[in-house]
Amino acid sequence: MKNKIMTAQEAVAGIHDGATIMVGGFMACGTPEILIDALVEKGVKHLTIICNDAGVPGRGVGKLVSNGQVKTLIASHVGLNPEVAQRMNTDIEEDKLECILVPQGTLAERVRAGGTGLGGFLTPTGVGTIVAEGKAIINVDGRDYLLEKPLRADFALIRGSVTDQFGNTTYNGTTRTFNPMMAAAADYVIVGACEIVEIGEIDPNNVVTSGIFVDAIVGGEKPWQI
C-alpha cells in the first residue's frame, strides 16, 4: 500500500503558483491550519481559493490573504476579515484581490456537483439579482432558475479529526463543514489530521470521507483548535 503519511512541507510541495485550491472550514472551524501554515511558508502566489469564507486575520485562509498569496477568492462570507475589502479596493495591482461571492447553499452544491460529476444544477437563489449576471436562466413550470456550474480544484486542503493510514477520515462536530464534499472535488487531496490511526481502527460506519479520495496525510493538527 502506498504510504500517504508525510510532512506538511512534503504534502504541499506540488502546489504551484496559480493553483486552484479548495479549503475546508467555516470561519476557520474545520480548517487545516498546519497545511495553511505550510503554504504560507512555501510562498506560492496568485492562488485561486475556494472556501466558505476568508477566515479572520491570523486564522485559516486569512493567513494566505494577509501574505498576499490569494489572487481570486470564491467564497460565501468574508465580512469577518477586513483585509479582503482592503485588498479588493487597493490601487496596487499586485496586491489586488478578486472576490467572487456565492450564496452559501449554492457554493456547497457547486462543490458537490464538481465531486459527483454533474454538469450543474438549477436554483432559484439569485434570480433577479447581480448573482444572475452572465448566467443562463432556465424556466421550469413557470419559474425561473439559474444554471449554476460545478466547481473543481487542483488541490483540496481538509481537516480530519481521526484519519487512518489509508485516509479514511472522521470529523468531530462542526469541524466537518465543507471538508467531505471538497475531498471529492479536487485532483489532489491533503488531510491535516489531529490523530492518525491504523487501518481498521475506525468503524466503517463512522467513515465520512473514504481514503480513496485522499492522496496525502499530515499529522499534527491541533485537536483543540476549532
Side-chain angles (χ1 to χ4, degrees):
M1 186 184 72
K2 174 186 174 183
N3 179 21
K4 299 181 181 181
I5 300 174
M6 56 188 74
T7 67
Q9 289 72 26
E10 291 170 338
V12 304
I15 298 180
H16 50 81
D17 287 354
T20 298
I21 306 172
M22 289 182 177
V23 182
F26 191 106
M27 301 303 167
C29 174
T31 297
E33 298 287 349
I34 194 170
L35 302 181
I36 296 292
D37 289 342
L39 267 190
V40 170
E41 179 184 332
K42 184 174 172 63
V44 285
K45 299 283 189 179
H46 309 298
L47 301 175
T48 294
I49 300 294
I50 302 170
C51 56
N52 174 71
D53 53 81
V56 296
R59 289 289 306 278
V61 172
K63 297 175 184 176
L64 298 174
V65 174
S66 297
N67 207 36
Q69 294 175 258
V70 183
K71 183 66 174 177
T72 301
L73 178 66
I74 301 174
S76 177
H77 174 55
V78 298
L80 291 182
N81 191 342
E83 290 192 50
V84 172
Q86 293 168 8
R87 290 185 178 272
M88 287 174 64
N89 295 306
T90 183
D91 294 327
I92 304 173
E93 190 60 34
E94 182 63 24
D95 292 338
K96 200 168 189 66
L97 173 68
E98 177 188 22
C99 184
I100 301 172
L101 293 177
V102 182
Q104 190 172 93
T106 300
L107 178 64
E109 191 66 4
R110 288 182 68 185
V111 174
R112 191 188 72 84
T116 54
L118 298 179
F121 62 95
L122 301 180
T123 176
T125 303
V127 173
T129 74
I130 60 173
V131 173
E133 292 180 2
K135 295 176 181 176
I137 299 176
I138 298 175
N139 188 281
V140 180
D141 295 332
R143 187 177 186 184
D144 286 340
Y145 294 85
L146 300 183
L147 173 62
E148 292 284 0
K149 295 182 179 179
L151 285 170
R152 285 194 60 85
D154 303 313
F155 301 89
L157 308 183
I158 67 174
R159 179 187 188 274
S161 297
V162 181
T163 301
D164 72 18
Q165 294 180 355
F166 181 62
N168 296 312
T169 299
T170 66
Y171 308 92
N172 287 336
T174 55
T175 63
R176 178 168 174 167
T177 65
F178 285 70
N179 286 301
M181 63 188 76
M182 288 181 170
D187 297 333
Y188 192 90
V189 178
I190 309 169
V191 178
C194 300
E195 181 182 2
I196 301 175
V197 299
E198 299 288 338
I199 295 173
E201 288 192 45
I202 301 175
D203 185 328
N205 293 308
N206 295 330
V207 172
V208 178
T209 295
S210 171
I212 62 173
F213 294 113
V214 174
D215 298 284
I217 304 164
V218 177
E221 185 68 21
K222 299 295 188 297
W224 57 85
Q225 289 178 339
I226 61 171

